Amino acid sequence: MIQLVSRTGAAQRLAAVAEEFLGGALPFRLRAWDGSEAGPSGAPLVVLRSRTALRRLLWQPGELGLADAYISGDLEVVGDPADALAALWQAARARGLSRPRLTARQWAEAAALLVRLGAVGPPPRPPGRRARQGGTLHSVARDRSAISHHYDLSNDFYELLLDETMAYSCGYWRQPPGTEGYGPAQSQYDKLDLICRKLALRPGARLLDMGCGWGSLTVHAAEHFQAQVTAVTLSAEQARHTRERVRARGLEDRVRVRHCHYRDLPDGGFDAAATVEMGEHVGADAYPHFAARLRHALAPRGRLLVQQMSRGADAPGGGPFIETYIAPDMHMRPLGETVALLEEAGLEVRAATSLREHYVHTIDAWRDTLEAHWDAATALVGAPTARLWRLYLAGGRLAFAERRMGVDQILAVRPDEDGCSGLGANPLGGHEGTWGTWS
């Protein structure tokens, strides 16, 4: 039942327009700048702190306007933002909403109300760190700019957000979250170990870590499996941090860090290659070439491990918010399409494993860390960027929990000229022992 605190306040009048748009009752409680409230009691509380919030929502209807209003602090969510996002998604699904369905008369009435409320005209420029992409899509220069926007934000910020492994990717939770002595770092070590075992790494094996991030897999493979690793990243900050980690562990004789584009990497004869959540940055048109580069990097019978996020065919990008603020030019596809592209490049896909639920637990850990160190995070990157990340992680968690996004590990091999994979009948070549997990 809808309860109205004020019969003449801004919240009541806005709620009436919002309910026309939504085709039903508000899925959240609304508080306006004049203190009035409308909407169901007990629902997530959304606060419009000023008329500017309303201007932002109207100037860019949809998720980007919501993001701008939240990042700027003009809109606040009391409690967990994920609860409010979940309520909105649920209402949209239940009512079949995708775009505004107001008639011309309804739009005119809404416009008249906005004039009366004093919420007209373009809003101020949003304070968030927006991507400014130029040049040809997925050219080397544009890719470098896109990668820099996301990954060169601040090594100190990522060190605060992530655990000791500095792995910025889905963990592999072999124990339930909350298990004593087991947490996000252990899940990342288990993920790194799983990758190395799937690749059958041995002392002296040549590993290509394509898109090495801050060096988590590079260091783990060199330190614990004595592999000879070539680490590749397009991020200057990641390359610097990885080199520092390698020096600190005395692994210079086993690791080479290259700050370059994957297209600049020569063919190599690697025994194994891994690309962990980098393929999302490659782009639809460039992915066949990327897959071919991975194949050519491998020696015959060399193994490839691709850990990559997926998304439905109708929403291959990250959406306006992600592509504007977080990861510009990213592209995801259904798992089957990625498998087909790898096969078309001459690789043989041997196994695919979904880790979707594991990403929910991983993001929960990052969210907990961000909230626990909120003051430090805002000191490092500023309040708008910290709020941006709070919203990003809340939305990401929901996307994986509700199966709008997935993440998978794909194990492939480059067969030799006789078609032999070297794996035998077992798809993991005897290294399946770490597949077990909790339920």
Side-chain angles (χ1 to χ4, degrees):
M1 177 179 179
I2 296 179
Q3 299 177 354
L4 301 176
V5 172
S6 169
R7 294 185 178 278
T8 58
Q12 180 185 359
R13 289 182 281 177
L14 290 171
V17 173
E19 287 171 355
E20 290 272 9
F21 167 76
L22 293 171
L26 285 179
F28 53 85
R29 191 166 183 80
L30 177 67
R31 179 186 296 161
W33 54 88
D34 61 356
S36 61
E37 292 187 15
S41 59
L45 177 60
V46 176
V47 181
L48 302 181
R49 293 188 177 277
S50 69
R51 293 171 176 83
T52 302
L54 190 55
R55 290 161 61 196
R56 293 192 190 280
L57 294 172
L58 294 167
W59 197 251
Q60 290 188 301
E63 66 179 68
L64 197 54
L66 279 168
D68 286 348
Y70 183 79
I71 292 165
S72 66
D74 296 319
L75 180 150
E76 189 58 85
V77 177
V78 178
D80 189 345
D83 293 338
L85 290 174
L88 284 171
W89 272 106
Q90 185 177 16
R93 286 195 302 268
R95 299 164 191 176
L97 295 178
S98 57
R99 298 184 64 84
R101 296 180 176 180
L102 299 184
T103 65
R105 178 189 60 78
Q106 289 169 328
W107 278 114
E109 291 176 352
L113 171 61
L114 297 176
V115 170
R116 291 195 297 273
L117 292 175
V120 292
R125 182 176 179 177
R129 185 172 173 265
R130 286 190 168 204
R132 296 286 185 262
Q133 294 296 93
T136 303
L137 181 64
H138 291 297
S139 63
V140 172
R142 180 158 171 159
D143 278 353
R144 183 177 292 111
S145 173
I147 292 298
S148 178
H149 175 81
H150 189 42
Y151 297 102
D152 292 344
L153 169 63
S154 164
N155 279 352
D156 290 338
F157 173 76
Y158 283 108
E159 284 185 290
L160 180 149
L161 180 72
L162 307 176
D163 57 72
E164 63 193 54
T165 67
M166 285 295 285
Y168 181 41
S169 55
C170 179
Y172 177 60
W173 293 76
R174 298 193 68 198
Q175 299 291 332
T179 299
E180 185 177 357
Y182 193 90
Q186 288 71 34
S187 78
Q188 293 293 352
Y189 283 125
D190 282 341
K191 185 267 300 293
L192 298 173
D193 201 60
L194 178 63
I195 290 173
C196 292
R197 293 186 181 281
K198 284 185 177 182
L199 293 173
L201 294 185
R202 61 192 184 279
R206 296 185 60 200
L207 170 66
L208 171 64
D209 186 2
M210 182 75 84
C212 67
W214 288 273
S216 57
L217 178 60
T218 290
V219 169
H220 190 81
E223 194 167 42
H224 297 284
F225 290 80
Q226 293 78 53
Q228 296 288 327
V229 187
T230 297
V232 178
T233 178
L234 197 53
S235 163
E237 287 298 297
Q238 288 183 336
R240 179 176 64 82
H241 186 88
T242 301
R243 290 187 180 110
E244 290 174 355
R245 293 183 71 179
V246 168
R247 282 194 296 268
R249 287 166 171 78
L251 297 172
E252 295 99 321
D253 61 331
R254 297 183 194 165
V255 176
R256 180 187 182 193
V257 180
R258 294 199 56 180
H259 175 214
C260 67
H261 198 279
Y262 71 86
R263 294 180 184 134
D264 299 327
L265 190 70
D267 293 347
F270 288 93
D271 301 297
T275 176
V276 180
E277 296 182 27
M278 175 204 160
E280 301 86 341
H281 298 289
V282 171
D285 294 338
Y287 204 92
H289 177 68
F290 175 67
R293 295 297 299 156
L294 291 172
R295 178 191 178 276
H296 289 306
L298 291 168
R301 301 191 184 187
R303 300 189 189 191
L304 169 68
L305 189 289
V306 176
Q307 180 168 311
Q308 192 166 299
M309 290 181 279
S310 61
R311 193 160 181 154
D314 59 341
F321 166 63
I322 296 293
E323 294 181 39
T324 298
Y325 280 112
I326 302 295
D329 296 342
M330 78 180 304
H331 183 275
M332 296 171 285
R333 64 188 63 77
L335 169 64
E337 292 184 14
T338 297
V339 168
L341 288 167
L342 295 173
E343 291 270 357
E344 289 167 8
L347 294 157
E348 181 184 9
V349 172
R350 301 291 301 220
T353 309
S354 174
L355 298 177
R356 179 172 64 86
E357 290 85 355
H358 295 250
Y359 228 150
V360 176
H361 306 318
T362 301
I363 295 175
D364 279 343
W366 293 341
R367 295 179 70 211
D368 289 345
T369 300
L370 179 63
E371 296 303 329
H373 300 88
W374 184 256
D375 291 343
T378 56
L380 284 171
V381 296
T385 299
R387 290 173 66 85
L388 183 159
W389 272 80
R390 176 187 273 164
L391 187 62
Y392 166 49
L393 294 177
R397 184 205 187 280
L398 280 175
F400 287 104
E402 297 179 353
R403 200 173 158 264
R404 286 179 280 112
M405 287 180 61
V407 63
D408 307 276
Q409 282 191 355
I410 306 167
L411 179 65
V413 64
R414 175 182 176 174
D416 62 21
E417 291 183 357
D418 297 324
C420 182
S421 68
L423 274 71
N426 189 324
L428 295 183
H431 291 271
E432 76 283 5
T434 54
W435 278 67
T437 187
W438 56 276
S439 59

